[in-house]
Amino acid sequence: MGKDLIQKSLKDSLFTGIIALALFGPIVGLRTVAKNEVLVVEPKWFVVLLIVIFCAVGRFFINLYTFRKEQRRGEQSSFGKAVSNFLDEKGAQIAIAAIAFSIIFPFMPFADRYWMDIAIMMMTYIMLGWGLNIVIGLAGLLDLGYVAFYAVGAYSYALFAIHFGWSFWICLPIAGLFAGMFGILLGFPVLRLRGDYLAIVTLAFGEMIRILLLNWYELTKGPDGLTGIPRPSFFGLPFKRYPDEGVETFHTFFGLEYDPMQRIIFLYYLILILALITNAFTIKIRRLPVGRAWEALREDEIACKSLGVNPRNTKLTAFAVGAMFGGFAGSFFATRQAFISPESFTFIESAIIVAIVVLGGMGSQTGVVLSTIFLIGLIEVFRDFESYRMVAFGGAMVLIMVFRPRGILAKRKPTIMMGKHG
Amino acid sequence: MSNNLLDVQNLTMKFGGLIAIDDLSFSAKKDHITSIIGPNGAGKTTVFNCLTGFYKATAGSMYLNKDNNKMDLKKFSDFRVAQKAGVARTFQNIRLFPQMSVLENMMVAQHNKLMVASGFSILGLVNSKSYLQKEKEAVEISKYWLDIIGLTNRADDNAGDLPYGDQRKLEIVRAMCIEPHLLCLDEPAAGLNAKESAELNKLLKFIKNDKKTGILLIEHDMSVVMGISDHVVVLNYGKKIFEGTAKETKNSPEVIEAYLGTED
Ligand SMILES: Nc1ncnc2c1ncn2[C@@H]1O[C@H](COP(=O)(O)OP(=O)(O)OP(=O)(O)O)[C@@H](O)[C@H]1O
Ligand SMILES: [Mg+2]
């Protein structure tokens, strides 16, 4: 049975690969660009190769898993189920493998500036997704203004760093604290709202913060944005080619050649660490009483009240904690860009983060990673087709919602098991 | 008066022009199962909603005598009635946390105690021994109750996946996890078969006798009411029309006319 199945799947996936090549070859692979007023074709075979491999391998696994399932139980079973079961069984190993891959990623031969930038961007979205997952996924509060906390974090980081010259590691917690305070500030008026109403008010809150940043010129320089945000340093060692007199830099200290990639790699690890902290924190707090109360509140607020759970405090902590991580991510954004303006904090950012959380499967940490790779990857692939980007984005969301209406990974693991205690 | 667990005086609840509860007075004793019966729309659930802080009564008073400490229930709003006064309730339409496991449902019910034990999450985040100990105790309490209703082997399954009868029982023991002084059950026997109904009776008697928890019971099914009630209050159109023992109630002409008579 096994050999036959694999053979069949391989054949099928080969066929899928050919179709993918025929389709994506011309669409993605052959790109026309204007050079010196002449249109020339610029091939992008590497991307095509990636897509083809993706399609073929994906098809192979669909075949393997759905077929095998059918044989075992004699019932129809979906690919998504197979994936989530697989992730369930091998969850710990996959997580370790993914983290290991993330750690060695900057030293991969293909990891040039372009890939590093994408990786940093994805990691930022993963962190934002994990932060918002607390609010939407766990507490069930549909927050469409999450970017506001990202903005508050970025601006408070920038202002403290510029005006007081404090280092990243001092400004970071301050920015998180500020964002958390704004989370509570938003939390209070929306305590009684649920569902659509909550979504509308949070959306408005996000816009209010952006407009405030645009108009409070004395503090935020309005649309001009804040420039000269200090770049991060490696424990006090700056990444500079020509440092000021007598200042040791990262490359002189370690006796290296100066390379701008050093700073990029450092930024990459910085966001990796911040994201992993967010993840570890969420996993841990989910198993604490407050985390369980968040989920209970999502399930049934009235039942919560009847058990003496304070819905107000529970919601506020969810808003505050989620906002705090948004603020941390904002600090990172500010120090990475060295320049921020309200332009970076528009509603579309909130929408993307919400999409990441919802498509990933409400409350699933792994789902956030998968949907970020998928959505941001998609946006990147379509970067050159500016006008089709949002079409592809929307199409992807529709597809996921059709096939996985509850998100890529909808399965939820209990936060405490009798087996381990009883 | 003083040995009553619950004293309700002149309770009135109006919704606009509709008088759902009209000048209702009754009391419940600690070692009693007190049943509130009456036809559909008589105002039974509304009484519970007033007692448990979900509605603010238009007029009247409600006192709970907790260890010789007289508490005015009107002073507590929604969740504080459960948290501070120790009045637990279940719902006519079961309200579990369906996507959470049976054990998690039981743990949420012990939220306030665990919240303090986890140092409002600080101690919990650093894995403090004292918190882990308290968490273990909470699991033990959950297991104790799940053993009683025979659901321990399903502790890690989603509550929403349980059969209907088990969901009813789970909702009751979950309410018991807040260690209430008064347990208010809104039609717990609705939809149960004869066997499940008998098990329910046993569970309620156990709670009354062994846990020394007063029970206030709304019930439609007269056989359940007759089987376990120590005291019966009959409502019709928000008014109390009769009060007495189960036997007296059964033989009361007013009740037969108003309640049993209207049932088809
Ligand atoms: N929130 C509310 N707003 C307006 N009217 C209400 C409200 N809650 C209850 N009522 C009305 O109060 C009356 C009593 O309702 P209640 O639910 O207490 O009846 P019940 O005795 O529990 O009936 P059942 O046996 O059907 O559960 C009904 O006429 C109902 O329509
Ligand atoms: Mg009712």
Side-chain angles (χ1 to χ4, degrees):
Chain A
M1 149 211 136
K3 211 173 161 196
D4 185 45
L5 177 71
I6 291 181
Q7 216 165 30
K8 238 166 83 184
S9 311
L10 274 177
K11 222 162 107 187
D12 191 63
S13 70
L14 194 72
F15 191 59
T16 311
I18 293 171
I19 293 180
L21 186 64
L23 277 175
F24 290 103
I27 298 177
V28 180
L30 300 173
R31 204 189 113 206
T32 51
V33 278
K35 256 190 198 153
N36 307 329
E37 290 169 55
V38 188
L39 270 186
V40 290
V41 174
E42 196 172 83
K44 289 190 97 181
W45 297 121
F46 182 64
V47 183
V48 175
L49 186 72
L50 275 186
I51 296 175
V52 170
I53 289 176
F54 177 78
C55 291
V57 171
R59 181 73 187 183
F60 181 68
F61 277 104
I62 292 177
N63 276 324
L64 215 59
Y65 278 91
T66 46
F67 282 1
R68 200 205 276 170
K69 267 275 166 55
E70 264 164 4
Q71 274 169 356
R72 194 163 55 202
R73 287 207 225 132
E75 62 180 36
Q76 200 72 29
S77 147
S78 72
F79 171 62
K81 220 182 198 169
V83 171
S84 69
N85 281 346
F86 177 73
L87 288 173
D88 230 37
E89 281 163 31
K90 300 256 155 56
Q93 286 105 306
I94 293 173
I96 291 171
I99 293 172
F101 176 76
S102 315
I103 291 173
I104 58 166
F105 180 80
F107 302 106
M108 300 292 238
F110 62 84
D112 55 8
R113 175 74 194 251
Y114 172 74
W115 279 99
M116 288 305 291
D117 278 343
I118 291 185
I120 289 174
M121 182 164 80
M122 278 193 183
M123 212 60 95
T124 313
Y125 277 109
I126 289 175
M127 179 169 174
L128 286 167
W130 277 337
L132 186 59
N133 208 5
I134 294 172
V135 186
I136 296 187
L138 297 184
L141 304 162
L142 185 52
D143 180 355
L144 294 185
Y146 193 61
V147 76
F149 308 122
Y150 190 41
V152 169
Y155 270 87
S156 33
Y157 174 84
L159 291 170
F160 278 106
I162 292 171
H163 294 301
F164 298 103
W166 292 343
S167 85
F168 180 79
W169 295 108
I170 296 173
C171 293
L172 180 81
I174 296 177
L177 216 66
F178 263 82
M181 266 155 46
F182 270 78
I184 295 174
L185 210 67
L186 165 68
F188 264 109
V190 301
L191 276 174
R192 287 166 181 280
L193 306 176
R194 4 180 72 251
D196 335 4
Y197 299 99
L198 179 76
I200 293 168
V201 176
T202 51
L203 192 155
F205 181 80
E207 285 300 284
M208 274 161 55
I209 295 287
R210 194 175 62 84
I211 290 167
L212 191 82
L213 293 175
L214 265 176
N215 291 293
W216 193 352
Y217 196 86
E218 298 77 46
L219 188 71
T220 66
K221 296 280 189 304
D224 303 344
L226 293 171
T227 48
I229 302 165
R231 296 280 193 178
S233 60
F234 185 83
F235 300 102
L237 300 169
F239 295 91
K240 272 185 186 163
R241 189 193 293 260
Y242 307 113
D244 305 337
E245 199 62 38
V247 174
E248 196 148 33
T249 67
F250 181 78
H251 68 281
T252 56
F253 184 83
F254 287 99
L256 300 167
E257 279 290 298
Y258 173 77
D259 183 347
M261 278 298 278
Q262 286 160 358
R263 188 173 57 81
I264 304 291
I265 292 174
F266 173 70
L267 283 173
Y268 172 82
Y269 281 125
L270 190 60
I271 186 66
L272 179 66
I273 289 168
L274 288 176
L276 288 179
I277 289 174
T278 312
N279 187 28
F281 181 89
T282 310
I283 289 175
K284 181 78 200 161
I285 203 159
R286 201 182 144 240
R287 299 196 182 123
L288 292 181
V290 68
R292 244 174 255 135
W294 287 338
E295 291 198 79
L297 211 61
R298 175 193 71 201
E299 297 281 296
D300 194 326
E301 183 168 343
I302 291 178
C304 277
K305 283 189 199 169
S306 81
L307 298 171
V309 176
N310 183 336
R312 187 191 64 204
N313 292 358
T314 310
K315 279 185 195 175
L316 286 180
T317 50
F319 270 120
V321 172
M324 182 181 75
F325 286 112
F328 289 154
S331 307
F332 173 79
F333 180 78
T335 189
R336 179 194 163 204
Q337 302 285 9
F339 164 76
I340 50 171
S341 79
E343 280 299 290
S344 310
F345 307 104
T346 50
F347 170 66
I348 189 71
E349 292 296 319
S350 288
I352 290 175
I353 307 165
V354 170
I356 284 172
V357 172
V358 174
L359 297 186
M362 303 272 241
S364 167
Q365 297 290 95
T366 323
V368 166
V369 178
L370 293 180
S371 66
T372 307
I373 293 174
F374 185 67
L375 290 180
I376 303 300
L378 202 79
I379 291 181
E380 254 336 285
V381 170
F382 279 81
R383 177 172 286 284
D384 304 330
F385 308 92
E386 195 64 46
S387 37
Y388 296 107
R389 226 158 128 181
M390 280 300 141
V391 176
F393 191 71
M397 285 205 265
V398 170
L399 277 182
I400 296 182
M401 283 295 116
V402 167
F403 290 109
R404 304 285 302 158
R406 301 190 54 222
I408 298 171
L409 294 180
K411 203 166 161 189
R412 171 185 180 277
K413 252 200 180 139
T415 56
I416 187 166
M417 305 278 272
M418 186 64 96
K420 287 190 189 148
H421 278 270
Chain B
M1 267 302 207
S2 61
N3 63 346
N4 288 338
L5 174 62
L6 176 74
D7 276 312
V8 175
Q9 293 286 330
N10 311 101
L11 186 70
T12 300
M13 181 77 216
K14 289 183 189 160
F15 297 108
L18 180 91
I19 303 176
I21 309 174
D22 191 1
D23 203 27
L24 172 71
S25 301
F26 72 95
S27 51
K29 287 197 168 59
K30 188 176 171 155
D31 48 356
H32 273 183
I33 293 181
T34 305
S35 289
I36 301 179
I37 66 170
N40 287 104
K44 307 181 294 292
T45 301
T46 307
V47 173
F48 271 23
N49 283 335
C50 292
L51 279 174
T52 51
F54 283 87
Y55 292 163
K56 209 161 182 60
T58 315
S61 66
M62 301 169 289
Y63 285 97
L64 189 78
N65 294 308
K66 188 171 149 184
D67 316 318
N68 296 326
N69 178 5
K70 201 168 173 185
M71 300 181 98
D72 184 356
L73 291 182
K74 278 187 103 171
K75 284 203 183 125
F76 302 101
S77 63
D78 56 36
F79 72 93
R80 288 187 194 85
V81 179
Q83 186 191 26
K84 301 254 165 65
V87 177
R89 74 171 290 184
T90 65
F91 297 86
Q92 198 164 345
N93 312 307
I94 306 172
R95 281 185 181 274
L96 292 172
F97 307 120
Q99 305 276 342
M100 297 174 82
S101 77
V102 170
L103 178 59
E104 285 176 307
N105 268 271
M106 301 292 277
M107 297 296 280
V108 172
Q110 302 175 60
H111 174 79
N112 287 314
K113 177 175 76 181
L114 287 172
M115 203 62 190
V116 174
S118 76
F120 298 90
S121 301
I122 311 288
L123 290 174
L125 280 173
V126 299
N127 267 337
S128 108
K129 276 226 173 62
S130 71
Y131 168 66
L132 292 178
Q133 179 58 32
K134 283 276 162 34
E135 186 187 51
K136 208 170 148 199
E137 284 168 23
V139 173
E140 289 301 321
I141 292 173
S142 309
K143 188 169 180 308
Y144 168 84
W145 282 109
L146 292 177
D147 278 339
I148 288 174
I149 59 168
L151 278 185
T152 311
N153 58 344
R154 303 212 57 181
D156 297 332
D157 294 341
N158 277 357
D161 294 342
L162 294 179
Y164 186 80
D166 286 342
Q167 294 197 14
R168 281 262 177 230
K169 283 190 274 184
L170 176 60
E171 200 192 14
I172 296 171
V173 294
R174 185 184 68 177
M176 284 308 291
C177 282
I178 76 167
E179 294 174 17
H181 293 258
L182 177 68
L183 177 65
C184 304
L185 304 173
D186 199 342
E187 303 202 20
L192 300 190
N193 62 34
K195 181 172 161 274
E196 289 170 331
S197 214
E199 283 169 5
L200 176 74
N201 285 3
K202 222 177 97 196
L203 175 64
L204 297 191
K205 280 184 179 153
F206 172 77
I207 290 172
K208 176 183 84 164
N209 296 329
D210 294 46
K211 293 289 141 192
K212 309 280 178 233
T213 305
I215 296 181
L216 213 53
L217 177 75
I218 293 180
E219 194 45 74
H220 258 318
D221 186 339
M222 284 307 273
S223 66
V224 175
V225 175
M226 294 309 150
I228 55 172
S229 307
D230 300 291
H231 192 74
V232 181
V233 177
V234 188
L235 292 187
N236 197 13
Y237 296 112
K239 283 200 176 74
K240 182 171 82 180
I241 57 167
F242 188 83
E243 183 170 11
T245 63
K247 208 168 166 195
E248 289 164 2
T249 309
K250 202 154 115 192
N251 299 326
S252 149
E254 303 103 294
V255 177
I256 292 169
E257 193 197 314
Y259 180 53
L260 303 175
T262 56
E263 250 206 348
D264 16 51

